[in-house]
């Protein structure tokens, strides 16, 4: 089956530092990826997305990098704030399976004040 | 807009009981889906719908039924609850999947935490 995995289940960073959360995917046919943030007791919230014809995409304090050669996705959060503490998921869409996303297990980010 | 709403927020069932998890969205989204979230696992797709009257199975459909009689509502029915269905259930909606960057993304509801004894 398909797999979307995260390298680190937990990550702790100092407030103000940059955070990097990684994700590996296994299917080279995946062409669309989303990063989600999930706070405790809430549903996942869209952060940023990227398509396979791109290497990098930037948002507000967040950057997603896609390396198709090694099937690796990362989320960079600049100047991490306490409000960034949450679980972060990556999800991939594989076109030949239709409207179905595969989600990673998540990385728990803790920001230390 | 209220976005995606789910009821109830919490539910405890006994094995064999049936119930319906409600999901509604007021964004006129065509695409709606149900996921379950279990500890140590990513969100897994149960069923989805690309429009009123159209539903399809996801990754883990067994034990669940859905219907889509209106664009707004997408209820999930547990026919005969089992302990293995203890999970947090999320409903999501979007205009479409795999469209323009930054748009047409899935909006998730707050979730329903279900415990089956």
């Amino acid at each position: 089956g398909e797999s979307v995995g995260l390298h680190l289940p937990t990550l702790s960073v100092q407030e103000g530092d940059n955070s990097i959360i990684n994700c590996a995917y296994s299917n080279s046919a995946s062409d669309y990826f989303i990063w989600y943030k999930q706070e405790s007791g809430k549903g996942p919230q869209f952060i940023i997305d990227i398509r396979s014809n791109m290497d990098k995409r930037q948002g507000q304090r967040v950057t997603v990098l896609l390396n198709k050669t090694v099937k690796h996705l990362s989320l960079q959060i600049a100047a991490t704030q306490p409000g960034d503490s949450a679980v972060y998921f990556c999800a991939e869409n594989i076109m030949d399976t239709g409207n179905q996303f595969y989600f990673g297990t998540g990385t728990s980010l803790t920001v230390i004040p | 807009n209220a976005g995606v709403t789910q009821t109830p927020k919490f539910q405890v069932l006994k094995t064999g009981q049936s119930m319906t998890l409600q999901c509604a969205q007021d964004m006129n989204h065509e695409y709606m889906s149900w996921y379950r979230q279990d500890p140590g696992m990513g969100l897994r797709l149960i069923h989805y719908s690309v429009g009123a009257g159209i539903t399809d199975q996801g990754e883990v459909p067994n034990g669940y039924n859905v219907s889509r009689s209106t664009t707004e509502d997408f209820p999930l029915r547990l026919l005969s609850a089992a302990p293995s269905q203890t999970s947090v259930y999320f409903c999501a909606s979007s205009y479409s999947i795999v469209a323009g960057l930054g748009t047409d993304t899935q909006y998730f509801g707050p979730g329903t935490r279900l415990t089956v004894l």
Side-chain angles (χ1 to χ4, degrees):
Chain A
E2 310 301 335
S3 67
V4 178
L6 296 176
H7 295 313
L8 296 173
T10 61
L11 178 65
S12 295
V13 298
Q14 290 291 139
E15 181 178 358
D17 287 351
N18 296 335
S19 302
I20 299 176
I21 300 171
N22 297 303
C23 176
Y25 64 96
S26 60
N27 193 326
S28 57
S30 297
D31 71 343
Y32 180 63
F33 305 87
I34 299 178
W35 278 102
Y36 287 97
K37 173 185 180 182
Q38 186 176 24
E39 296 175 280
S40 180
K42 297 184 179 180
Q45 180 182 11
F46 170 89
I47 302 174
I48 192 168
D49 56 358
I50 191 167
R51 299 200 71 160
S52 59
N53 60 354
M54 305 174 71
D55 297 323
K56 178 180 179 179
R57 188 155 183 263
Q58 288 183 292
Q60 187 176 13
R61 283 201 307 118
V62 295
T63 300
V64 55
L65 299 178
L66 176 62
N67 186 330
K68 295 179 288 294
T69 302
V70 295
K71 295 195 282 291
H72 182 268
L73 193 69
S74 69
L75 176 70
Q76 300 177 1
I77 304 173
T80 313
Q81 302 169 0
D84 294 328
S85 293
V87 175
Y88 291 82
F89 298 92
C90 66
E92 63 177 313
N93 180 263
I94 304 168
M95 291 190 70
D96 61 7
T97 64
N99 294 333
Q100 184 159 341
F101 277 86
Y102 292 91
F103 287 80
T105 55
T107 291
S108 178
L109 173 66
T110 299
V111 181
I112 303 167
Chain B
N1 287 347
V4 181
T5 58
Q6 291 183 238
T7 56
K9 291 193 175 187
F10 302 94
Q11 182 70 49
V12 178
L13 293 177
K14 294 181 179 179
T15 297
Q17 287 184 314
S18 62
M19 79 158 295
T20 299
L21 279 64
Q22 301 292 343
C23 174
Q25 52 92 9
D26 60 357
M27 297 173 281
N28 201 32
H29 285 166
E30 298 160 348
Y31 183 89
M32 296 185 74
S33 55
W34 276 101
Y35 292 90
R36 60 177 290 171
Q37 185 175 40
D38 300 298
M41 301 183 72
L43 290 163
R44 292 182 292 168
L45 183 66
I46 304 171
H47 285 285
Y48 66 95
S49 169
V50 298
I54 305 170
T55 64
D56 209 342
Q57 296 181 349
E59 187 182 358
V60 288
N62 293 339
Y64 308 94
N65 274 357
V66 292
S67 61
R68 186 90 180 275
S69 56
T70 66
T71 300
E72 294 78 20
D73 301 299
F74 191 44
L76 177 73
R77 282 183 287 276
L78 280 71
L79 307 173
S80 178
S84 61
Q85 293 179 304
T86 294
S87 188
V88 181
Y89 291 84
F90 289 100
C91 179
S93 75
S94 69
Y95 283 112
S96 63
I97 292 295
V98 192
L101 281 172
T103 62
D104 296 342
T105 57
Q106 293 192 85
Y107 295 84
F108 285 84
T112 294
R113 185 174 295 273
L114 175 68
T115 301
V116 182
L117 303 175

